[in-house]
Amino acid sequence: MSGRDGPDGAGGPGGSGGADGSDDATGAGGVPDVALDEALAAVAGEQPLINSVTNDVTVNDVANVTLYWGGLPVMSDDEREVGDMVGIADGCLLNMGTVSESGEETMLTAGRAANERGIPLVVDPVGVGATPTRDRVADRLVTDLDVDVLNGNYGEISALVGDDAEVRGVESVGEYAEIAAAAVECARKTGAVVVASGETDIVATETAAFEVDAGHSMMGAVVGTGCMLGATLAVFAAAVDDPVAAALTGTAAYGLAGELAAEGAFGDYRGPASYKIAFLDAVAGLADASTPDIVDRIDRIEVR
Ligand SMILES: Nc1ncnc2c1ncn2[C@@H]1O[C@H](COP(=O)(O)OP(=O)(O)O)[C@@H](O)[C@H]1O
Ligand SMILES: Cc1ncsc1CCOP(=O)(O)O
Ligand SMILES: [Mg+2]
């Protein structure tokens, strides 16, 4: 871990330590007693500055969703400056969606600065499994850096651990019956808390796996929802001390926003483009919306 509490570390807003079920700080069924309202209040109170080195396709969405959660976005990605910007940030996101040769080096510079500063480092290995270049860059990021939270779709997480995976461009294609086991193996390989996104999200550590039942199929119809999940995880990891509680809370909050948008709570929509607007408004308005207790959306699952 990057100088921060690991999954057994001290708790904090939004969750209490031992979120991998290793001590008595968990609730029923070995699920940590995460609290959405506490996490959202912590984000609002801390207003974490998040530096994202991210792709050209969704950079504006990543910036806005960071802001709408209550963080402060900055997208510094120049080798001459990024170390200094991460040096004053509270969290760092690396998203390799359109990584260039210089961008690869800049991501390593930013990641090393985050590790040295002891702030949360989130990595989204976009498109790993699609090309040898992406396989090499992703492996370099998780090997050379101390990653706190790693998020990818089912295909990307499976590809990272060498399981059969079909990643077409950046989209996960096919069935992944063993995704929970792949996520735990990925956590063991990288030392990160792993979020495997899909119809049901999986949050995994080296010793525990949780299903997060929140979200809507319309989220899968919008480019950028995985990238924006990475930004969400960076914001929550900067405000919630325990990285597992942060990942569970951020993933659940994100899915709840997707559900509220699909229900029309933040405006009608006619298709994926207008849904995206409603989704972003749901993120911005979640703190004021009445939301269910997210503990009821999280189930610990047994993984061999
Ligand atoms: N069919 C679905 N049902 C519910 N939520 C979904 C569905 N597809 C995607 N999501 C949600 O959308 C977000 C992005 O997931 P995903 O599409 O897997 O990432 P990516 O965009 O990187 O491929 C996640 O929060 C995930 O839970
Ligand atoms: C289409 C595309 N190509 C390179 S990055 C990118 C966006 C990927 O966004 P997400 O992973 O959220 O679907
Ligand atoms: Mg993605």
Side-chain angles (χ1 to χ4, degrees):
M1 282 293 172
S2 56
R4 292 168 37 78
D5 292 330
D8 300 330
S16 45
D20 65 354
S22 58
D23 63 23
D24 61 0
T26 57
V31 176
D33 53 353
V34 290
L36 178 58
D37 53 349
E38 289 178 22
L40 290 171
V43 171
E46 300 210 12
Q47 202 176 24
L49 175 66
I50 307 296
N51 188 82
S52 294
V53 182
T54 190
N55 67 72
D56 306 333
V57 177
T58 62
V59 56
N60 180 256
D61 297 328
V62 168
N64 274 318
V65 82
T66 301
L67 186 69
Y68 298 161
W69 281 123
L72 286 176
V74 61
M75 316 325 253
S76 171
D77 64 359
D78 182 279
E79 185 68 18
R80 297 165 300 168
E81 182 205 49
V82 71
D84 292 335
M85 188 63 81
V86 173
I88 61 171
D90 303 300
C92 182
L93 168 67
L94 306 180
N95 174 307
M96 52 176 269
T98 50
V99 64
S100 60
E101 190 167 4
S102 62
E104 177 180 343
E105 296 311 318
T106 301
M107 284 198 294
L108 267 297
T109 302
R112 290 187 190 111
N115 289 168
E116 285 161 19
R117 185 161 159 75
I119 60 173
L121 178 63
V122 177
V123 169
D124 184 344
V126 180
V128 62
T131 65
T133 297
R134 287 176 184 268
D135 293 350
R136 181 188 59 75
V137 173
D139 191 60
R140 191 176 173 204
L141 291 175
V142 302
T143 303
D144 291 6
L145 300 173
D146 191 350
V147 180
D148 290 279
V149 182
L150 185 144
N151 73 284
N153 58 41
Y154 287 178
E156 291 160 345
I157 299 302
S158 299
L160 272 178
V161 295
D163 285 1
D164 289 342
E166 187 176 357
V167 180
R168 290 195 67 207
V170 297
E171 289 306 316
S172 174
V173 179
E175 300 300 320
Y176 296 87
E178 299 302 322
I179 186 59
V184 170
E185 186 180 347
C186 190
R188 289 170 182 161
K189 171 180 176 179
T190 62
V193 176
V194 172
V195 180
S197 62
E199 185 169 351
T200 298
D201 295 328
I202 304 291
V203 175
T205 70
E206 299 175 44
T207 58
F210 304 90
E211 276 184 354
V212 179
D213 179 21
H216 192 276
S217 58
M218 283 301 293
M219 298 168 77
V222 175
V223 167
T225 47
C227 297
M228 290 191 279
L229 173 59
T232 301
L233 294 168
V235 169
F236 279 75
V240 175
D241 286 349
D242 174 50
V244 183
L248 287 166
T249 318
T251 301
Y254 194 71
L256 289 177
E259 290 175 15
L260 288 171
E263 290 161 15
F266 287 87
D268 293 338
Y269 60 93
R270 290 159 302 285
S274 45
Y275 171 78
K276 175 184 165 184
I277 301 301
F279 171 70
L280 288 170
D281 283 341
V283 169
L286 194 69
D288 299 324
S290 60
T291 51
D293 190 341
I294 60 172
V295 172
D296 299 334
R297 300 298 192 96
I298 300 169
D299 288 314
R300 184 165 178 165
I301 53 180
E302 289 312 310
V303 176
R304 287 183 304 280

